[in-house]
């Protein structure tokens, strides 16, 4: 495909309903006896409703670069391979009772990193950091003879502070940056998540399940940021894989890497996701939150 054709295709793909949580991920939290049905708790209205995966946790045009941008890759292209593979990996794990899950850990953490980077929370944090930055414009690319190697040249840049013409222009630039930063984060694969030790906790009752929310990757403990969790032995990181299973990460080793959820720990997980949700919690069955 030529560059011009790719550019036309990207324009045609704009303003679609972008799923902050992929439907292939939410499919792992649907009712096993009612195909495709998802129970959703609206934290704002404090009530449950039932729906399919297509119309929830989605924002129109959320991953679109602003008009006039010409990125080398869309967000959809950054997501595609990881997002497409996950449902098959999950089905394989479920069918095997999650035996040998360690062999898929690298991919599962890559998927978790994608969920974290494509979230509204990541976007807001990245925008906040970007608003604190000083912008520069490249005014000239300089080349000078290399002092280290005869006949070679060194390249440098002459830059000057860049002041956007108005607040709208600045926000467009920052939106470009956040989407590119998201893609960069996804391209890192598991990144710092691979530095943690991981265990898998399981449940077999869809009426007392692992749940997830519109903030799917969360931490609990003393660390003020999730990245700091890799250095704080008292902090845990959670990734719900499906209603049957949740990965739990820590800088400290676990005594048991695979095991059933104890009821108090499952209640604690429910409370954590209810507290961490931006607005929606997802489950195969309606729960009575304590």
């Amino acid at each position: 495909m030529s560059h011009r054709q790719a550019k036309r295709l990207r324009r045609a793909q704009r303003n679609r309903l972008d799923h902050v949580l992929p439907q292939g991920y939410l499919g792992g939290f649907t009712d096993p006896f009612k195909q495709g049905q998802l129970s959703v708790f609206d934290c704002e209205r404090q009530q449950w409703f039932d729906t399919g995966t297509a119309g929830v946790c989605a924002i129109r045009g959320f991953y679109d670069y602003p008009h006039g941008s010409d990125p080398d890759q869309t967000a959809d292209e950054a997501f595609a391979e990881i997002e497409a593979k996950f449902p098959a990996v999950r089905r394989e794990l479920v069918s095997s009772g999650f035996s040998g899950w360690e062999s898929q850990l690298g991919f599962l953490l890559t998927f978790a990193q994608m969920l974290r980077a494509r979230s509204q929370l990541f976007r807001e944090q990245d925008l906040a950091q970007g608003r604190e930055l000083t912008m520069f414009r490249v005014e000239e690319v300089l080349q000078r003879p290399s002092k280290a190697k005869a006949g070679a040249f060194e390249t440098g840049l002459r830059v000057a502070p860049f002041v956007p013409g108005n607040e709208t222009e600045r926000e467009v630039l920052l939106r470009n940056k956040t989407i590119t930063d998201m893609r960069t984060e996804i391209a890192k694969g598991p990144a710092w998540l691979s530095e943690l030790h991981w265990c898998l906790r399981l449940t077999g009752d869809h009426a007392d399940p692992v749940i997830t929310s519109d903030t799917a990757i969360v931490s609990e403990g003393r660390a003020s940021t999730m990245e700091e969790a890799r250095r704080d032995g008292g902090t845990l990181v959670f990734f719900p894989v499906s209603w049957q299973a949740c990965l739990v990460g820590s800088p400290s080793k676990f005594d048991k890497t695979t095991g059933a959820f104890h009821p108090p720990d499952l209640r604690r997980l429910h409370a954590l996701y209810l507290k961490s949700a931006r607005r929606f919690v997802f489950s195969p069955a309606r729960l009575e939150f304590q």
Side-chain angles (χ1 to χ4, degrees):
M1 182 184 297
S2 69
H3 175 72
R4 183 175 297 177
Q5 289 172 321
K7 190 174 181 179
R8 279 202 301 268
L9 179 61
R10 291 181 188 122
R11 282 201 298 265
Q13 293 175 337
R14 295 183 60 84
N15 205 36
R16 297 183 306 171
L17 199 60
D18 291 329
H19 283 82
V20 179
L21 287 184
Q23 292 185 70
Y25 174 66
L26 287 175
F29 297 87
T30 56
D31 188 329
F33 302 106
K34 298 177 182 178
Q35 188 173 10
Q37 181 170 290
L38 191 68
S39 292
V40 184
F41 186 72
D42 185 330
C43 300
E44 185 176 293
R45 297 181 178 178
Q46 290 290 294
Q47 63 185 28
W48 287 94
F49 65 93
D50 297 328
T51 185
T53 61
V56 290
C57 212
I59 302 171
R60 192 164 296 281
F62 187 64
Y63 301 119
D64 288 349
Y65 277 92
H67 286 282
S69 303
D70 184 21
D72 61 339
Q73 186 187 50
T74 65
D76 283 343
E77 290 168 324
F79 299 154
E81 183 179 351
I82 305 169
E83 191 174 316
K85 183 179 176 181
F86 180 79
V89 170
R90 185 194 66 236
R91 286 192 295 268
E92 180 182 329
L93 289 171
V94 170
S95 66
S96 69
F98 287 87
S99 65
W101 61 268
E102 294 95 335
S103 65
Q104 294 288 359
L105 181 59
F107 171 74
L108 292 173
L109 297 183
T110 295
F111 188 84
Q113 178 77 331
M114 181 191 70
L115 292 184
R116 191 183 73 84
R118 69 191 284 173
S119 68
Q120 290 176 273
L121 180 62
F122 180 89
R123 172 77 60 88
E124 290 170 0
Q125 291 175 339
D126 202 62
L127 278 172
Q129 291 172 3
R131 292 184 181 116
E132 299 297 319
L133 299 176
T134 301
M135 295 185 178
F136 290 89
R137 185 197 301 276
V138 176
E139 295 194 334
E140 186 179 0
V141 178
L142 305 172
Q143 281 195 329
R144 58 177 66 88
S146 172
K147 296 179 181 179
K149 187 176 180 181
F153 289 87
E154 296 175 346
T155 300
L157 302 174
R158 184 164 65 85
V159 300
F162 171 61
V163 180
N166 53 53
E167 191 61 27
T168 299
E169 183 182 1
R170 181 179 178 84
E171 288 303 305
V172 167
L173 291 171
L174 288 174
R175 180 177 172 85
N176 270 337
K177 175 184 176 299
T178 60
I179 298 174
T180 298
D181 288 348
M182 175 190 69
R183 288 172 40 203
T184 301
E185 201 72 10
I186 292 169
K188 294 177 183 178
W192 61 270
L193 292 176
S194 63
E195 298 176 20
L196 301 176
H197 299 282
W198 291 90
C199 71
L200 192 74
R201 294 295 177 255
L202 303 166
T203 178
D205 184 359
H206 86 285
D208 194 18
V210 170
I211 62 174
T212 192
S213 76
D214 43 19
T215 303
I217 313 303
V218 301
S219 63
E220 179 189 53
R222 298 183 298 249
S224 58
T225 66
M226 192 168 291
E227 287 85 348
E228 288 179 8
R230 59 184 166 179
R231 296 184 294 273
D232 184 273
T235 298
L236 299 175
V237 177
F238 297 87
F239 168 37
V241 177
S242 69
W243 70 258
Q244 298 99 328
C246 184
L247 279 169
V248 184
S250 170
S252 305
K253 288 187 176 181
F254 295 95
D255 294 334
K256 190 175 183 181
T257 57
T258 306
F261 263 114
H262 298 300
D265 291 333
L266 203 47
R267 300 291 82 70
R268 176 179 159 198
L269 184 78
H270 293 170
L272 177 63
Y273 272 86
L274 183 63
K275 179 181 178 181
S276 302
R278 296 182 60 84
R279 180 164 179 180
F280 297 114
V281 171
F282 306 99
S283 170
R286 299 186 180 194
L287 305 174
E288 290 291 338
F289 290 122
Q290 300 176 358

